């Protein structure tokens, strides 16, 4: 009888497609029990996941909150927590979460939580947001009682996250933002993680084929052997930096990955710098992973095809472990240049698909359409 008298609160996790939906589904497995435990067993929670691109064509938190409130009212949901991998800004600050206790809604920007332990951080934010919203919607709860919920769970555990300003006309009544350099770094790392840069290597199939072919030919060229054994470590490092830099620059320029804003506001410029920085880091990680992979492939290929007597007669150096490593290092630089040139065979869409998350691709298509118009 006691269980049947408990209030059941329906919590909907409204998630953008792709990564936010994955996070939401994982949260939904344990969220009901954790919420019931933290609320003192006074109520039960039913958690549902709705995957929907609610951020389409919008980056403004106020607009997104209105959409969430409208969806919640139309579907008669008790509490709605929306999750997106879109970086959001308000008052030139990096938004973490918006809460509207009056409407029982919250908006969470996942990149602002950083790139490490994302699932655990998202779980803590969602739990505290739901408990705060559920408390404000309890019978007899006064409006003033939920205007200032406890700050500790957000500000303490997720520092450098702090309360942020909210305009009177906004639906949100409480906002948390990421302040300072640490907040910027956390957001940048979160954006790079959402882009999943490790997908860049398999995504560039033609470029990778060109790099492997270049590396295979270079490995059996006696001129390359002589150059590799004559180069010191500083020159090999320069070759590495130059080849990786060439690939990064070529990918960004050829596929038009660089974001340009036509708006002159400081917030627009700040967003543009953030997007371009995340692009640069994403492509750089992919290029470095590609370089390391080419070095390993070149090393294995050299072990398989090279003959010690032929190598020694051509270079007057023994084919020992050091020269195997030096040769594969130099060949990786040559192959990376070949891969950069081969990336020109890829379509721009293929490169964007490899470099960006689904939501980021949609955002860039939208921006290109605005600039084209």
């Amino acid at each position: 009888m006691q269980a049947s008298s408990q209030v059941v609160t329906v919590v909907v996790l409204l998630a953008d497609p792709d990564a936010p939906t994955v996070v939401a589904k994982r949260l939904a497995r344990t969220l009901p029990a954790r919420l019931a435990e933290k609320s003192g067993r006074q109520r039960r929670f039913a958690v549902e996941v709705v995957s929907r691109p609610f951020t389409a064509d919008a980056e403004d938190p106020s607009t997104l909150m209105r959409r969430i409130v409208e969806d919640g009212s139309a579907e008669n949901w008790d509490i709605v927590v929306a999750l997106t991998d879109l970086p959001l800004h308000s008052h030139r600050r990096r938004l973490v979460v918006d809460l509207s206790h009056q409407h029982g809604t919250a908006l969470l920007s996942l990149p602002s939580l950083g790139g490490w332990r994302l699932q655990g951080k998202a779980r803590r934010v969602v739990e505290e947001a739901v408990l705060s919203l559920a408390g404000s919607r309890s019978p007899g709860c006064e409006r003033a009682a939920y205007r200032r919920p406890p700050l500790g769970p957000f500000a303490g555990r997720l520092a450098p996250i702090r309360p942020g300003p909210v305009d009177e006309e906004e639906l949100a009544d409480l906002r948390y933002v990421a302040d300072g350099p640490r907040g910027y770094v956390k957001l940048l790392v979160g954006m790079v993680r959402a882009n999943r840069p490790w997908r860049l290597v398999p995504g560039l199939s033609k470029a990778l084929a060109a790099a492997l072919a270049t590396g295979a030919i270079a490995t059996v060229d006696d001129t390359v052997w002589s150059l590799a054994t004559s180069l010191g470590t500083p020159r090999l490092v320069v070759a590495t930096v130059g080849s990786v830099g060439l690939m990064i620059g070529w990918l960004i320029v050829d596929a038009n990955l660089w974001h340009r804003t036509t708006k002159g506001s400081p917030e627009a410029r700040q967003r543009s710098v953030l997007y371009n920085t995340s692009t640069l880091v994403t492509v750089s990680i992919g290029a470095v992973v590609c370089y390391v992979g080419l070095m390993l492939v070149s090393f294995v290929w050299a072990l398989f095809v090279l003959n010690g007597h032929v190598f020694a007669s051509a270079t007057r150096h023994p084919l020992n472990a050091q020269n195997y490593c030096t040769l594969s290092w130099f060949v990786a630089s040559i192959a990376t240049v070949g891969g950069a040139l081969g990336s020109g065979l890829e379509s721009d869409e293929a490169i964007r698909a490899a470099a960006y998350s689904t939501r980021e691709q949609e955002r860039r298509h939208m921006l290109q359409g605005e600039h084209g118009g």
Side-chain angles (χ1 to χ4, degrees):
M1 294 297 294
Q2 184 179 359
S4 61
S5 63
Q6 288 180 325
V7 177
V8 179
T9 302
V10 178
V11 178
V12 172
L13 301 180
L14 179 62
D16 261 338
D18 203 13
T21 297
V22 174
V23 172
K25 289 181 176 179
R26 290 176 180 172
L27 290 175
R29 297 171 189 168
T30 59
L31 198 57
R34 293 180 63 89
L35 290 172
E37 181 181 357
K38 289 193 172 186
S39 64
R41 302 288 180 178
Q42 297 174 354
R43 66 168 74 195
R44 289 186 297 152
F45 293 86
V47 179
E48 303 175 10
V49 176
V50 176
S51 182
R52 184 184 302 168
F54 69 93
T55 59
D57 302 328
E59 293 185 353
D60 177 47
S62 298
T63 302
L64 298 179
M65 281 295 285
R66 281 195 295 272
R67 289 183 181 179
I68 299 166
V69 169
E70 290 172 359
D71 287 346
S73 300
E75 301 289 344
N76 200 27
W77 294 329
D78 295 330
I79 293 175
V80 185
V81 180
L83 290 79
T84 180
D85 57 359
L86 186 69
L88 301 176
H89 295 77
S90 178
H91 297 84
R92 301 183 62 182
R93 291 177 171 86
R94 294 164 285 278
L95 177 70
V96 179
V97 61
D98 264 355
L99 294 96
S100 175
H101 293 81
Q102 180 181 1
H103 300 94
T105 59
L107 170 63
L108 171 61
S109 175
L110 292 173
S112 62
L113 300 179
W116 292 279
R117 301 190 303 274
L118 176 62
Q119 194 69 37
K121 294 175 182 177
R123 187 192 69 243
R124 288 198 296 269
V125 175
V126 171
E127 286 176 3
E128 299 297 343
V130 171
L131 292 173
S132 180
L133 296 173
S136 69
R137 299 174 74 80
S138 299
C141 177
E142 296 293 334
R143 181 180 178 86
Y146 61 79
R147 292 291 283 181
R148 294 183 179 274
L151 303 181
F154 290 112
R157 296 180 186 176
L158 301 172
I161 295 174
R162 300 286 184 267
V166 182
D167 293 333
E168 287 293 332
E169 63 272 13
E170 294 189 67
L171 295 179
D173 50 54
L174 184 64
R175 169 173 294 151
Y176 286 91
V177 295
D179 276 341
R182 287 181 58 200
Y184 181 87
V185 171
K186 286 173 72 72
L187 177 59
L188 178 61
V189 172
M191 292 177 64
V192 172
R193 183 188 188 278
N195 287 337
R196 290 174 287 185
W198 51 87
R199 301 183 308 173
L200 190 62
V201 177
L204 300 176
S205 57
K206 294 183 178 66
L208 188 59
L212 290 174
T214 303
I217 296 172
T219 303
V220 296
D221 189 287
D222 55 358
T223 303
V224 175
W225 301 347
S226 300
L227 286 173
T229 54
S230 64
L231 293 176
T233 299
R235 290 189 176 184
L236 288 171
V237 171
V238 170
T240 299
V241 174
S243 60
V244 172
L246 176 63
M247 171 168 268
I248 293 170
W250 185 270
L251 287 173
I252 291 176
V253 173
D254 185 60
N256 195 25
L257 302 182
W258 204 250
H259 172 70
R260 296 177 179 85
T261 179
T262 57
K263 301 177 181 178
S265 66
E267 189 171 10
R269 288 196 297 269
Q270 184 183 43
R271 265 201 305 264
S272 181
V273 170
L274 182 64
Y275 290 139
N276 287 331
T277 304
S278 68
T279 294
L280 182 60
V281 175
T282 298
V283 177
S284 297
I285 292 175
V288 169
V289 171
C290 180
Y291 187 92
V292 173
L294 289 172
M295 185 184 297
L296 294 175
V297 171
S298 299
F299 184 83
V300 174
W301 178 241
L303 286 175
F304 181 73
V305 301
L306 292 188
N307 180 279
H309 295 293
V310 176
F311 184 90
S313 62
T315 64
R316 298 184 180 180
H317 290 86
L319 186 57
N320 51 25
Q322 179 181 352
N323 284 328
Y324 269 119
C325 293
T326 301
L327 178 62
S328 60
W329 186 357
F330 185 52
V331 167
S333 298
I334 298 174
T336 300
V337 174
L341 299 177
S343 66
L345 301 174
E346 303 280 1
S347 68
D348 292 353
E349 294 299 324
I351 296 177
R352 291 192 188 100
Y356 296 125
S357 66
T358 300
R359 182 61 188 91
E360 182 69 0
Q361 294 175 55
E362 294 173 356
R363 188 192 68 78
R364 287 177 178 265
H365 281 308
M366 179 187 70
L367 290 173
Q368 285 182 348
E370 290 176 355
H371 293 164

